[in-house]
Amino acid sequence: MSTRITAVPRPVPAEEIVVPFADCHITADAQAAVLRVLQSGWVTTGREVAAFETEFATAVGAAHAVAVSSCTQGIELALRSLGLPPGSLVLSSTMTFCGAVHAIVHAGHQPVLVDVDPATGMPTPATVRTAAQEYGQPAALVVVHWAGDVADVPALAEAAGVPLDRVVVDAAHALGTYAGDAPVGSGPGTTCFSFYATKNLPLGEGGMITTDDAARADWLRRARLHGMTADAWRRYLPGGSWRYNVADVGLKANMTDVQAAMGRAQLAHFPAWQRRRAEIAARYDERLAGLPGVRLPHRPAPGDGTHAWHLYPVRLWLRGGIERDKIIAALSERAIGTSVHFIPVHRLAYFSQAALIPSAGLTGADALFDQVLSLPLYPRLTGEQVDAVCAAIAAIANEGISGKGTE
């Protein structure tokens, strides 16, 4: 009888751990699904897109889902579906990705930027009222669930004086977010999701619009493909007709069967991925709690909802006038990737002229932008990597680059 000796793995020193900011993981079954579609002879919008729409609608509790080429195109289409007069005022948080506000412009409307609470990164009823009162009654409202946290959509709509069916929810960060017991994507209005490479359901590119309005869903399906009454899949089916009509203005914003097949496979892994994201966020909480100069991310109060943990954005108080970007550089020197979400839209040259900005300024967003830093967060992030990130932040804080300050 022999004794087998198993080597004990050597702990990897923190200085040898590389932590990319993002990780676009396409599973083996998703890759196989793509190959199956490529071999099928039909790769554009067809059977796979229809199946993905059905499965996604079920996952978020929506009556209808319409697959599109991106969340940005989804927001534009959702705004177009409202039939607003050209040049209508549309409120949007300034703490969002530029594409969400571009969508307002491309839909033919006037964006009005709204300030945020720096503690949450999202507008409040008070900041919404400030913007609405200065520029007049808005026709619609775009609400973002920033970082995967929960925005109070009904309260913001009420403050804007906008009915819920004229609210477009930007849920690019919020697949897996719950408002109370309801998943984001269900309920009135339209909700737009992103499948960009860094998102909770990564496909590389792509988006989805959900709605409980059957007529709106039908319009969106036509509008995503030039406004045509029949797409190529329906025209080329046995017995189909080559004829079609165009009754409304549309876009080229359809999803392909290649993306949809990938999405269907990835969706099966989504619940496990979300559990892992919550575990990682909890580990960050534990390791960073009480560290001087670091404020943990906001999250819903018990009963108010569930955070999707798309991002883990900390707020850093800087000491001695040291810029936040020096912390980013110090982490980068330790092979740790980070990002900033977002440059407030009003600080971007085009929108500083094209958007309406309250005369009192957008001071909450400015304060948050100077402090916010998104740490790596994705399902394949290991505990050791999380620990390395937290140890590096602690070391940087001890070196005097960041420290306790005032809000």
Side-chain angles (χ1 to χ4, degrees):
M1 180 176 179
S2 62
T3 302
R4 182 177 180 181
I5 300 175
T6 302
V8 177
R10 177 180 65 88
V12 179
E15 62 271 16
E16 296 180 18
I17 295 178
V18 176
V19 190
F21 174 69
D23 171 51
C24 183
H25 177 45
I26 307 301
T27 63
D29 50 341
Q31 295 177 42
V34 169
L35 181 60
R36 172 175 53 79
V37 170
L38 293 176
Q39 293 172 338
S40 74
W42 189 271
V43 297
T44 189
T45 308
R47 181 183 290 114
E48 294 288 336
V49 167
F52 185 32
E53 290 173 337
T54 298
E55 292 163 8
F56 189 90
T58 299
V60 301
H64 307 278
V66 180
V68 289
S69 56
S70 69
C71 185
T72 299
Q73 293 289 69
I75 295 170
E76 180 179 346
L77 285 167
L79 288 168
R80 288 177 179 270
S81 76
L82 300 178
L84 305 176
S88 293
L89 299 178
V90 178
L91 300 183
S92 169
S93 171
T94 191
M95 205 70 185
T96 190
F97 182 58
C98 62
V101 186
H102 264 135
I104 298 171
V105 175
H106 289 308
H109 304 308
Q110 174 64 64
V112 181
L113 299 181
V114 180
D115 202 7
V116 302
D117 179 351
T120 67
M122 295 180 287
T124 66
T127 62
V128 167
R129 280 192 292 270
T130 295
Q133 289 169 359
E134 181 161 351
Y135 291 108
Q137 177 58 46
L141 171 67
V142 177
V143 176
V144 59
H145 294 288
W146 185 72
D149 200 356
V150 181
D152 190 342
V153 176
L156 297 177
E158 181 180 3
V162 170
L164 286 172
D165 65 356
R166 282 197 272 126
V167 174
V168 175
V169 176
D170 177 357
H173 292 182
L175 181 56
T177 299
Y178 280 70
D181 295 330
V184 166
S186 60
T190 50
T191 303
C192 303
F193 296 90
S194 173
F195 305 133
Y196 182 65
T198 61
K199 296 301 190 286
N200 290 32
L201 189 74
L203 306 185
E205 295 287 355
M208 190 76 75
I209 312 170
T210 61
T211 179
D212 285 349
D213 186 328
R216 181 173 292 178
D218 288 342
W219 185 92
L220 290 166
R221 288 195 178 93
R222 293 192 301 273
R224 71 178 171 188
L225 196 58
H226 309 295
M228 296 167 64
T229 55
D231 60 26
W233 175 252
R234 291 172 177 81
R235 298 199 309 274
Y236 300 151
L237 282 172
S241 170
W242 56 269
R243 297 181 183 277
Y244 60 86
N245 194 11
V246 175
D248 298 293
V249 65
L251 304 175
K252 174 62 173 174
N254 58 305
M255 178 180 282
T256 70
D257 267 13
V258 174
Q259 294 166 294
M262 190 190 312
R264 295 178 67 194
Q266 298 278 84
L267 190 60
H269 297 275
F270 182 73
W273 288 345
Q274 286 303 105
R275 289 191 294 271
R276 178 59 185 153
R277 283 179 176 271
E279 291 171 356
I280 293 167
R283 193 173 185 121
Y284 271 130
D285 288 348
E286 181 182 351
R287 301 295 191 273
L288 294 176
L291 185 65
V294 178
R295 172 67 63 85
L296 302 185
H298 182 269
R299 71 279 318 275
D304 287 351
T306 303
H307 202 299
W309 293 116
H310 169 57
L311 299 175
Y312 192 90
V314 295
R315 292 169 63 197
L316 304 172
W317 278 264
L318 311 180
R319 183 169 63 194
I322 303 297
E323 295 181 355
R324 180 266 325 276
D325 289 356
K326 291 195 175 181
I327 298 176
I328 294 175
L331 289 170
S332 180
E333 290 174 358
R334 292 164 167 83
I336 295 170
T338 58
S339 191
V340 174
H341 295 84
F342 295 97
I343 302 172
V345 172
H346 68 278
R347 291 198 178 194
L348 303 174
Y350 171 73
F351 292 107
S352 69
Q353 302 299 318
L356 298 178
I357 299 171
S359 57
L362 298 163
T363 56
D366 286 333
L368 176 59
F369 174 61
D370 289 340
Q371 299 169 342
V372 72
L373 182 65
S374 296
L375 303 181
L377 176 55
Y378 39 87
R380 295 201 296 179
L381 192 69
T382 67
E384 291 76 16
Q385 287 175 311
V386 173
D387 293 349
V389 173
C390 297
I393 292 173
I396 293 167
N398 290 334
E399 291 165 7
I401 295 180
S402 70
K404 186 176 181 181
T406 58
E407 296 188 46

